[in-house]
Amino acid sequence: MEIPFLILALIAAFIYTLVASIRNSSRIKSLEREVLNLKRLMAAGVTSPATAQAESVESVENTDFEAEEKNRDLPGAAASQAEYASEPEEAAAIVEAEDVAREEAPPALANETASAPATKESFESLLGARWAVWAGGLALALGGIFLVKYSIESGLLSPAVRLSLAAIFGLVLGLAGEAIRRKAVPGIAAAYSNAMIPGVLTAAGALTLFGVVYAAYGVYGYIGSGTAFILLGLVAFATIGLSLLHGQALAGLGLLGSMLTPALISSETPNIWALFVFLTISWLATAAAARRQGWTVVPSLANAGLGLWALGYIGFSETINAEPPTLALLIMLAGTIFLWPGKHFDTPPAEAGETAAPERRAIRAIRLLLRPSLAINLTVSMAVILPAIGFLFASGGIDTHPALIVSALIAALAALGAARHYAVWPAIIAALGAQTAVALMSRQGIDFIGLINDTGVTLPPVGTGYTAEIAMALGLGAVFVLCAFSFLKRKGADDADFAQLWAGIAALFPVWLATASFVEYGNLGRDWLHAAYGLGLGFVLIAGAEWLHRQNNEAYRKPLNILVLGSFAAFALSLHTLTEGLATTVLLSVIGFVYVLASRYRNWDVLPWVMAVASVAVLGRIAWEPTIVGPQNLGLTPVFNALLPGYGIPALLAVASAWLLRDWPGVRAKNFLQAIASVMGLLAVAILIRHAMNGGTLDNSVPTLGEQSIYTLLTIGFSGVLMTLDLKSPSPVFRYGSMIAGVIAVINVLTMHFFTLNPYFTGENTGRIPFLNLLSIGYLLPALAYGGLAYYARGKRPAAYVSMLAVAGAALGFAWATLSVRRFWQGENIADWKGFLQGETYSYSVVWLLIGVLLLILGSRFNARSLRLASAAFVLISVAKAFLIDMSNLEGVLRALSFIGLGAVLIGIGLFYQKILTRKNAPPAPRQADT
């Protein structure tokens, strides 16, 4: 008899608490209405002693309550008050009074209220008004659990009675929550919206009912799986419905219950259609509640739950029925577009204030990714794309081709990205997911590395086996183009950042998908299907750019340029599917040149850059295959072979483009074209020389000194040509390019001519002709070229650069003279292992002194300080050689002649400098007086 008495005592205590709460809430509600009326009168300018006294009492006794009243200026406060009013008429009166008070309040009072900082909640309020509520709800749930546990252990009540009492207890909690909600104080709703007593009681009741139904089904077996499924669903939907009254937390509880219901109910023959219909209805109910209340957390959880169910079904099922999860995900996407968020956040983003250019770009990029409802965007995108990719990895059988399912899901996700301003992530993830799906659905067992290296790998025949894969890749590309133009037409003018993103998707991903389809499924020899797709895509993008141009809207300028660049990529794809080798390389430059010609009719910023991209693509093909047509197909005839058109035509077209665009307003594009035209021209000449000097073959063998000398002469001449172009048409490319070419030539001299390819170290034969031999080609001609370039650069380039050229020429002349002396004494082979002769050693001193004297004369004649310094260097070398080498190695008359000649030359040089310096320092002659 103790247990029933305890139960009755708990029920009585609960009823007493409930009645007291209702009585107190009604008293507080009446006080609140009086305060609202007083404030309305004050705002209207009506004052009275009673009003002043009421204000004084309120300011002393209800400080916290006034703070809550101030917070009512926040959005949603009036709605919250109306929600928790006991009657609809009272809610309307409260909202109307608040609106009247706000409209009639003086400006000063309104500003003061708006600027008042939010008061920090006291520890007493946090402990008593919030934590106590949640702790009380937990205590109620635990109390019910302990009571049932005690009754079970004691064997006092049968399972049916316990379940009935638990069900009654859950219903009582729900009814108590509704009763308190009807009598709750609006001020409490505004201040403690996340700790409302009605919501906590309702949540406790919902959990109790969930437990009762599951225990009746899973523990005691009183009801079947169908009945349990229906009851759990009803409890979940009822909880979601009540969340409209009690808040988002209760909606999350109902959503959790609905998502767990199928997992709690086991069946040997599950009905997949019933499962996903139930989950879809749960999602729609959650979305409808979220739309009414403006929630974002619960719908995000609903997206994740539906996606996880679809992914789990795909991963753990032996035989997959693809239609139910696919339709559920498609309905989720449609609900996101039209139900929630729908048009709620579909407004163009506000432009930020002016900032620095890099900061503005970074801020706009971040703002683009952090659009409203970010959580909903990410969850709905991942909930669709992960199951779509999961279909490709399904281990069990599937009743529909995965390509069809993946295409439908990704296309619908892309449609969401094009339908709303806020749907940035669906657009991005749809594009990336499409490329991932196409890459995963590749041919099995193909050695693409061996295919590229031509090791005899054969491809499986292209037939109906890949029709669905090809259709998926090309179809998704078309979907992205349609979505991009749909967004640009409807919303592009109002959302420049997102318009650029969609233009980039339309320009990049269809070409990317078609390329992957061609490489993995197409005929790598000649594929007319992918060629037609590339041509059609290119013309569509050009037509789209022309349409944007005619809109005459500045917001379309960047998307237009992106589409034009994408059209070139599409044409390049089509070209690669039909041609190979020389034709592909040459026609790639021809297509880029056509865009340059189009600049005569359209002033689109990107047109010169298309030719630049084409030239870079040509250089990329050259780097991949320098012979253009393959080593086995390259002829041995110098100059007149496949290299001449393969390198020459793209270089000529690049030069012609730079000349046609010499007056183009875009400085960067013009300079880049000039630079790449110069590089391609130099490369064309150099590769022809390499082919001719290397026996008609192109390989990575080390060049000879003669070949390297030609490259050095070519670089020196290239520097001079760029300097001439700069003088006629000033350009930073020509100016700095000429100096860079000169520096590169000097580096070649220091590394190749003096050390790596020097016949003294390599032992290379210098030739039988005394003067016209390898030494003249490798040293004398470059020395003269450096001297001429230094003379030409005087006054046109920095003095340090001119001095570098002059010193390089002098060093080459010194090397030629020195090696020529050795050849005179040693013969054609001047290798270091042959040692030195006494006459050879003496000859070096004579020649070096003569070079020093010659440089001194030239320096004096042209007033070139660098040449005079070089002369001094040669003289010092000769002096050092005389004292360090000649004194010990020469004997007899040669030793004496060496020092006599050195002394005479040194005295002559000193006399020469004395005369020059005396002439410079002499005072000017006095002017004679006129007579």
Side-chain angles (χ1 to χ4, degrees), residues 199-430:
V200 172
L201 293 176
T202 306
L207 286 174
T208 303
L209 292 176
F210 273 121
V212 168
V213 175
Y214 181 72
Y217 160 72
V219 178
Y220 300 109
Y222 288 146
I223 57 177
S225 59
T227 304
F229 187 86
I230 293 173
L231 291 177
L232 288 175
L234 289 176
V235 173
F237 290 139
T239 306
I240 294 175
L242 290 174
S243 68
L244 297 175
L245 303 175
H246 298 286
Q248 189 168 196
L250 190 62
L253 177 62
L255 174 66
L256 178 64
S258 63
M259 291 297 170
L260 289 179
T261 294
L264 297 175
I265 306 302
S266 60
S267 175
E268 296 180 357
T269 58
N271 189 330
I272 303 304
W273 276 104
L275 168 65
F276 281 98
V277 167
F278 174 80
L279 294 174
T280 304
I281 294 174
S282 300
W283 186 92
L284 290 172
T286 305
R291 174 180 178 135
R292 180 178 177 86
Q293 302 299 105
W295 295 331
T296 57
V297 176
V298 170
S300 301
L301 296 176
N303 296 336
L306 185 56
L308 288 175
W309 265 109
L311 195 61
Y313 170 67
I314 295 168
F316 295 100
S317 298
E318 297 181 357
T319 302
I320 300 175
N321 186 2
E323 286 83 359
T326 303
L327 290 177
L329 296 175
L330 292 177
I331 292 174
M332 179 183 67
L333 289 172
T336 304
I337 296 175
F338 300 107
L339 181 58
W340 177 256
K343 297 182 179 181
H344 187 76
F345 299 114
D346 193 33
T347 55
E351 294 295 333
E354 293 295 328
T355 56
E359 296 178 359
R360 183 167 64 250
R361 286 194 295 268
I363 292 173
R364 293 179 68 176
I366 295 173
R367 188 186 299 115
L368 177 67
L369 299 178
L370 300 180
R371 291 286 175 91
S373 64
L374 175 63
I376 295 179
N377 281 336
L378 287 175
T379 53
V380 75
S381 301
M382 301 309 295
V384 171
I385 205 65
L386 291 180
I389 301 299
F391 279 113
L392 303 178
F393 291 95
S395 57
I398 185 170
D399 60 353
T400 308
H401 198 291
L404 179 61
I405 304 171
V406 173
S407 300
L409 291 175
I410 294 179
L413 187 59
L416 169 61
R420 302 299 177 208
H421 284 287
Y422 55 80
V424 175
W425 284 106
I428 297 174
I429 293 176

Side-chain angles (χ1 to χ4, degrees), residues 328-597:
L329 296 175
L330 292 177
I331 292 174
M332 179 183 67
L333 289 172
T336 304
I337 296 175
F338 300 107
L339 181 58
W340 177 256
K343 297 182 179 181
H344 187 76
F345 299 114
D346 193 33
T347 55
E351 294 295 333
E354 293 295 328
T355 56
E359 296 178 359
R360 183 167 64 250
R361 286 194 295 268
I363 292 173
R364 293 179 68 176
I366 295 173
R367 188 186 299 115
L368 177 67
L369 299 178
L370 300 180
R371 291 286 175 91
S373 64
L374 175 63
I376 295 179
N377 281 336
L378 287 175
T379 53
V380 75
S381 301
M382 301 309 295
V384 171
I385 205 65
L386 291 180
I389 301 299
F391 279 113
L392 303 178
F393 291 95
S395 57
I398 185 170
D399 60 353
T400 308
H401 198 291
L404 179 61
I405 304 171
V406 173
S407 300
L409 291 175
I410 294 179
L413 187 59
L416 169 61
R420 302 299 177 208
H421 284 287
Y422 55 80
V424 175
W425 284 106
I428 297 174
I429 293 176
L432 296 177
Q435 184 58 36
T436 303
V438 172
L440 291 174
M441 298 181 66
S442 60
R443 291 168 172 166
Q444 300 296 325
I446 298 181
D447 182 11
F448 281 101
I449 302 299
L451 178 66
I452 293 173
N453 295 332
D454 195 20
T455 57
V457 177
T458 59
L459 293 175
V462 178
T464 57
Y466 301 120
T467 302
E469 288 83 353
I470 295 174
M472 180 185 74
L474 303 186
L476 285 177
V479 167
F480 285 127
V481 173
L482 291 175
C483 290
F485 284 130
S486 173
F487 183 87
L488 290 173
K489 180 179 180 181
R490 296 182 299 108
K491 303 176 182 294
D494 300 327
D495 197 345
D497 294 335
F498 204 2
Q500 294 176 40
L501 176 61
W502 263 117
I505 291 175
L508 174 63
F509 283 93
V511 178
W512 193 353
L513 293 171
T515 302
S517 174
F518 168 66
V519 172
E520 295 179 356
Y521 315 121
N523 187 344
L524 299 181
R526 182 166 296 170
D527 194 317
W528 292 102
L529 174 62
H530 289 89
Y533 182 84
L535 283 174
L537 177 62
F539 285 120
V540 167
L541 293 178
I542 284 291
E546 177 65 20
W547 170 71
L548 293 180
H549 172 76
R550 296 185 179 183
Q551 301 302 310
N552 196 23
N553 191 326
E554 181 64 19
Y556 288 132
R557 185 171 63 88
K558 291 184 178 179
L560 181 153
N561 292 327
I562 295 173
L563 293 180
V564 172
L565 199 59
S567 68
F568 169 75
F571 291 140
L573 167 65
S574 181
L575 179 65
H576 281 81
T577 59
L578 296 178
T579 63
E580 59 183 5
L582 179 62
T584 306
T585 303
V586 173
L587 290 178
L588 202 58
S589 289
V590 171
I591 294 175
F593 188 70
V594 170
Y595 281 83
V596 173
L597 296 178

Side-chain angles (χ1 to χ4, degrees), residues 156 162 249 318 362 371 448 684 714 755 850:
L156 300 176
R162 290 196 297 267
E318 297 181 357
R371 291 286 175 91
F448 281 101
L714 178 63
F755 297 101
L850 290 176

Side-chain angles (χ1 to χ4, degrees), residues 93 125 131 269 289 463 498 504 539 600-601 653 793-794 818 827 844:
S125 174
W131 296 350
T269 58
F498 204 2
F539 285 120
R600 295 175 174 266
Y601 305 96
L653 291 177
R794 292 182 65 191
T818 302
Y844 290 141

